[in-house]
Each structure stands twice: as C-alpha cells, then as structure tokens.
C-alpha cells in the first residue's frame, strides 16, 4: 500500500497492530477473559496490557522520540492485586516480545502516559474490553496524529469479517493513510482491498450502528433520531470501533453516539483511527453539531460532543434530526 509520506510509520504500525490483534485473540483463547477493575470501575484484562506493551515496544524501537497516548497504565499491575495478571502478561508476551522482563514490560505499558503534542501516537490496545470479555467485537486501534489531524489509522479486528468472500472469517485490519485511501487486509494476508462506503441515499433503508453498552449513550435521544429518520430495520449493537470499520466497508450507513451526559467527552483513542478510515473510504465524521473532530485538545475530544459517522450522503439528515430533537426538548 502506498502510504507516502508516512510509509515507514505505516509499515511499523501495521506490523504492530497485526501482531497485537493476533496476541489479543490468542490470549482470549488460552488465558481467558478474567478482568481486573480500574479506579473508574471499568474492566481491564491481560490482553489490554499485553497489546499495549507490545505496540509501545515496537513504536519505542522505531520512533523513540514519539509520545504514545494510550488507554492503559501500569498502576494496577504494580500493586499486589496485579501480581497474577503481571505473571500472565509475561507468559502471554513470551513469544511476541521475548526481550521484555517484568520491569521493562511495566515501563512499556507506562509509555502510554505520553503527552499529546505536535506529533504523537494514540492507542486503545483493546477497544471494547466489554465486548472482548463477552465474546463479541473488540479491536486494536492505533493512530498517528500530526498537527492535530489523524494521518494514519489502523483497526485490527480479530472477530470481524469485512466481506462475504470465503476465507475472510479470520479477522481483518481496516487501515487508512490521509489522502491515500482506506483498505482492508486480512489478519493472515497481505492483499490490500479498497474500502468504500455505501451509496444508500434513503434514511428509511439505512443500517444504523450503536454501542452495545446502553449506558455509553443517551438511548432515548438515539431512539428519537432513528424514529425521526424513519429507519426501518433495528439498529445493530456493536462494541468498539469495529462499527467504524463496518461503515467504511459499506456494510452499514450510520453510527450515532450521543453521550449519556452533556459533559461527557470521548477519548481520542476511541475515535482517531476509525474517523480517518471512514473519511478515506468516502464517508463523513463530525460531532453532533456538524463540527469536525478536533484531536488537538489533549487526551479527550474536549471541543466535541458526541459523534456522527456516515456514508456522507445521509450525514446532514442525522444532524438535522439531532437539531430538531434538541429544539423540542
Ligand atoms: P463503544 O463500544 O462504542 O461504546 O466504545 C467503547 C469505548 O467506550 C471504550 O473504549 C470506553 O473508552 C468508552 N466508554 C466507557 N464508558 C463510557 C461511557 N459511560 N460513555 C461513553 N463511552 C464510554
Ligand atoms: Mg476504547
């Protein structure tokens, strides 16, 4: 794939996401889905730490000066409750990163505490940890941000098929480089196939995606928009930026994320890779008021409330429906 001017960055990131996704799948099969609780009560598993350590290690080797802004840190692993998890983590990394010992693995996880700057990487090692635990969708999400704009986005999707072709049930990577298009490549293969959003122009026949976890969104407002648009089929519930890959591949038209509270702000690693992939596949991504996502405001999307992602053709219909609902309430 032509990733000019980011060829080296893309090649390193693709290798890291591919190996990270395979590692996560392997951990789910052989180590299991046991989760610890973080300070905010959200679950974290061996896979979250292992993938973060692996990707951080690859990026540190190739681009030692680049900050990494990632979801996890090693705080729980350094405490006594984390001892068993740390042992499982070291065992899981034995073949993928055999040179990491218990100190260096903690340091690699903590590389994710980098500060966003002019150029940095952002990583969600297991986006959709709840999906991972449940046996549903999850992805490894990595993006390079330069000057506040996403330049490279990759989603390693171990449980997602992006085509109906036989043999494509092994999992896929969706990826994009700014101005170079969006592609899928099998987790096992090396053939890049272009991704293109759907050409659906009618909201009635649109397929709509939302978070599996109902408490991640304002469900009443979501249902009101779907009703206003006259969408006929039931929304599909899906964890993580697997939703973004599905829209980029033209297998659904709309993703609507209305935060449960007005003050909630999404994390940059939950939107960066997916938004570039949809845009490069010909779609559109904005917040609920139509503003572009601003990746220049730190670890959170501080200037954006919610997310609308679409095939482009149906975008203004969603923004209009949201405005109508806000005016009514
Ligand atoms: P999704 O499955 O699309 O909701 O995306 C999963 C992401 O939602 C996780 O990576 C979390 O960062 C994020 N998340 C966790 N709690 C919430 C919440 N209460 N509201 C919105 N997003 C959340
Ligand atoms: Mg996430």
């Amino acid at each position: 794939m032509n990733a000019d001017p980011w060829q080296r960055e893309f090649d390193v990131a693709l290798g890291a996401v591919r190996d990270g996704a395979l590692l996560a799948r392997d951990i789910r099969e052989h180590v299991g889905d046991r989760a610890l609780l973080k300070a905010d009560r959200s679950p974290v598993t061996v896979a979250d730490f292992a993938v973060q350590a692996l990707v951080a290690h690859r990026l540190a080797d190739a681009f030692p000066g680049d900050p990494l802004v990632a979801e996890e840190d090693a705080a729980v692993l350094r405490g006594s409750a984390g001892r068993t998890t740390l042992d499982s983590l070291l065992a899981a990394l034995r073949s993928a990163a055999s040179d990491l010992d218990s100190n260096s693995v903690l340091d690699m996880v903590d590389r994710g505490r980098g500060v966003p700057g002019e150029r940095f990487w952002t990583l969600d090692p297991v986006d959709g940890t709840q999906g991972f635990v449940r046996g549903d969708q999850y992805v490894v999400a990595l993006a390079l941000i330069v000057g506040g704009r996403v330049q490279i986005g990759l989603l390693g999707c171990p449980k997602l098929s992006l085509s109906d072709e036989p043999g494509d049930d092994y999992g896929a990577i969706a990826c994009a480089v700014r101005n170079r298009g969006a592609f899928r490549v099998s987790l096992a293969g090396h053939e890049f196939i272009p991704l293109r959003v759907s050409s659906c122009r009618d909201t009635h026949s649109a397929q709509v995606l939302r978070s599996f976890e109902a408490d991640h969104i304002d469900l009443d407002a979501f249902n009101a928009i779907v009703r206003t648009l006259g969408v006929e089929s039931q929304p599909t519930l899906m964890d993580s930026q697997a939703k973004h890959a599905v829209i980029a591949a033209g297998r659904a038209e709309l993703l609507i994320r209305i935060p449960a509270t007005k003050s909630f702000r999404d994390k940059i690693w939950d939107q960066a890779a997916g938004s570039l992939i949809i845009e490069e596949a010909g779609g559109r991504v904005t917040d609920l008021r139509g503003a572009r996502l601003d990746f220049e405001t730190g670890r959170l999307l501080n200037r954006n409330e919610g997310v609308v992602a679409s095939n482009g053709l149906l975008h203004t219909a969603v923004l209009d429906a949201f405005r109508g609902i806000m005016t009514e309430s």
Side-chain angles (χ1 to χ4, degrees):
M1 170 176 166
N2 172 14
D4 185 54
W6 306 111
Q7 195 67 52
R8 182 149 174 271
E9 284 82 352
F10 177 78
D11 291 342
V12 171
L14 179 67
V17 166
R18 186 189 296 272
D19 291 348
L22 293 170
L23 178 63
R25 171 153 64 195
D26 197 56
I27 290 173
R28 199 170 192 292
E29 268 171 34
H30 298 113
V31 183
D33 55 10
R34 206 174 57 85
L36 290 171
L37 286 184
K38 292 190 275 191
D40 66 358
R41 313 294 298 159
S42 63
V44 62
T45 69
V46 172
D48 296 74
F49 293 121
V51 175
Q52 182 155 324
L54 176 69
V55 175
H57 188 39
R58 297 283 180 85
L59 294 177
D61 268 356
F63 309 106
D66 286 355
L68 175 64
V69 179
E71 174 156 21
E72 308 306 337
D73 65 59
V76 265
L77 292 175
R78 292 183 196 273
S80 55
R83 187 68 238 177
T84 329
T85 307
L86 181 56
D87 290 342
S88 309
L89 170 57
L90 286 166
L93 282 169
R94 207 159 283 147
S95 56
S98 54
D99 51 332
L100 291 179
D101 61 17
S102 60
N103 283 327
S104 52
V105 93
L106 293 171
D107 289 345
M108 279 305 142
V109 173
D110 271 340
R111 270 191 76 87
R113 302 166 77 128
V115 178
E118 166 60 22
R119 166 177 159 137
F120 64 97
W121 298 86
T122 188
L123 169 72
D124 195 341
V126 176
D127 178 18
T129 304
Q130 285 163 304
F132 176 85
V133 170
R134 220 189 295 110
D136 290 331
Q137 292 296 336
Y138 66 94
V139 306
V140 176
L142 179 64
L144 174 67
I145 296 178
V146 183
R149 309 215 75 189
V150 186
Q151 302 296 334
I152 298 175
L154 301 110
L155 298 172
C157 316
K159 286 193 65 101
L160 193 64
S161 162
L162 291 175
S163 79
D164 297 321
E165 290 155 25
D168 189 52
D169 50 3
Y170 188 73
I173 299 169
C175 56
V177 173
R178 183 169 291 280
N179 299 324
R180 293 285 176 265
F183 297 84
R184 67 179 160 89
V185 53
S186 150
L187 264 184
H190 295 275
E191 188 189 356
F192 289 87
I193 295 157
L195 291 173
R196 189 74 211 159
V197 293
S198 107
S199 54
C200 170
R201 292 177 170 277
D202 181 3
T203 57
H204 295 89
S205 51
Q207 297 289 322
V208 186
L209 307 177
R210 71 146 166 99
S211 297
F212 188 99
E213 298 293 333
D215 62 351
H216 287 187
I217 60 168
D218 179 340
L219 198 52
D220 289 340
F222 172 86
N223 286 334
I225 289 187
V226 168
R227 235 180 358 256
T228 305
L229 294 172
V231 174
E232 279 156 17
S233 59
Q234 285 299 311
T236 301
L237 279 50
M238 195 180 281
D239 302 278
S240 82
Q241 287 164 83
K243 294 188 281 297
H244 297 68
V246 167
I247 295 209
R251 298 166 81 82
E253 282 75 28
L254 296 173
L255 184 176
I256 304 169
R257 184 178 190 82
I258 307 173
T261 59
K262 257 200 87 58
S263 58
F264 181 88
R265 292 293 177 266
D266 274 299
K267 320 282 192 307
I268 54 172
W269 52 79
D270 281 331
Q271 301 298 331
S275 63
L276 181 68
I277 292 167
I278 290 178
E279 287 172 356
E280 286 294 324
R284 193 173 162 202
V285 182
T286 67
D287 66 11
L288 288 162
R289 293 172 209 287
R292 81 170 167 88
L293 302 187
D294 182 348
F295 290 96
E296 240 176 342
T297 67
R299 290 170 76 87
L300 302 179
L301 288 165
N302 282 306
R303 292 204 189 100
N304 299 108
E305 183 191 346
V307 176
V308 176
S310 75
N311 67 345
L313 300 167
L314 301 181
H315 206 88
T316 50
V318 179
L319 299 179
D320 290 349
F322 178 72
R323 201 175 316 114
I325 283 156
M326 286 300 107
T327 317
E328 270 169 35
S329 64

